Amino acid sequence: MNKVFLIGNLTKDPETSTTTSGIKVCKFTVAVNRNYSSPDGSRQTDFLPVICWRSQAENCGRYLKKGRKVGLCGSIQTRSYDANDGTKRYVTEIVADEVQFLSTRNDSEEEFVAEGADKKKIEGLKAIDDGDLPF
């Protein structure tokens, strides 16, 4: 079984491209804190490369930005290639099947508005007191 579940933050904006056969691909790196602290009290962080494909790649490229929190489910993939200097290089990455956008509401709400939506409607919203709700 090869299944990975991660929650972390993007280290930089995602890179989206299209393959020669027209398939969308998106790559980004997620910083994931380890569950334990080192003897000096600091927590170590792993920086894991993630790749996703097709419609998931389009959504990630459109809505994710550096610092955003994501949850993802996928598998670990290792591949190799020959570098320009003739050496064989190995790459281990997470192939994400599902990506959930987990950033809080305190983030810039305008960035979550779908393209073409009327932003004036959001700007005109007012906070209401919970006591005013009928339920």
Side-chain angles (χ1 to χ4, degrees):
M1 181 187 306
N2 182 355
K3 200 71 162 170
V4 175
F5 296 92
L6 299 171
I7 295 177
N9 295 75
L10 269 70
T11 61
K12 61 182 179 178
D13 288 346
E15 298 173 10
T16 305
S17 60
T18 305
T19 66
T20 55
S21 58
I23 299 172
K24 290 281 189 184
V25 60
C26 184
K27 297 179 181 183
F28 53 92
T29 302
V30 176
V32 179
N33 291 327
R34 293 186 183 177
N35 286 337
Y36 55 88
S37 299
S38 62
D40 67 356
S42 64
R43 293 183 81 174
Q44 293 190 3
T45 303
D46 292 304
F47 299 92
L48 304 168
V50 178
I51 186 168
C52 54
W53 298 90
R54 296 178 178 78
S55 62
Q56 188 73 64
E58 287 183 46
N59 289 332
C60 289
R62 182 178 294 152
Y63 298 112
L64 289 178
K65 301 285 182 216
K66 177 181 177 178
R68 292 280 169 85
K69 185 177 288 291
V70 295
L72 59 90
C73 171
S75 58
I76 297 174
Q77 168 182 285
T78 302
R79 58 185 171 85
S80 63
Y81 65 94
D82 294 323
N84 291 338
D85 62 2
T87 61
K88 190 170 204 103
R89 303 277 173 97
Y90 294 91
V91 177
T92 300
E93 56 200 0
I94 310 301
V95 179
D97 299 323
E98 300 174 46
V99 179
Q100 295 287 319
F101 305 158
L102 301 177
S103 291
T104 64
R105 283 184 74 168
N106 293 335
D107 291 337
S108 173
E109 292 181 12
E110 284 187 12
E111 294 179 44
F112 287 105
V113 175
E115 291 179 18
D118 187 0
K119 292 182 182 181
K120 290 183 180 181
K121 289 181 181 178
I122 290 178
E123 292 171 359
L125 294 179
K126 297 179 184 176
I128 61 170
D129 183 20
D130 288 345
D132 293 339
L133 296 174
F135 49 89

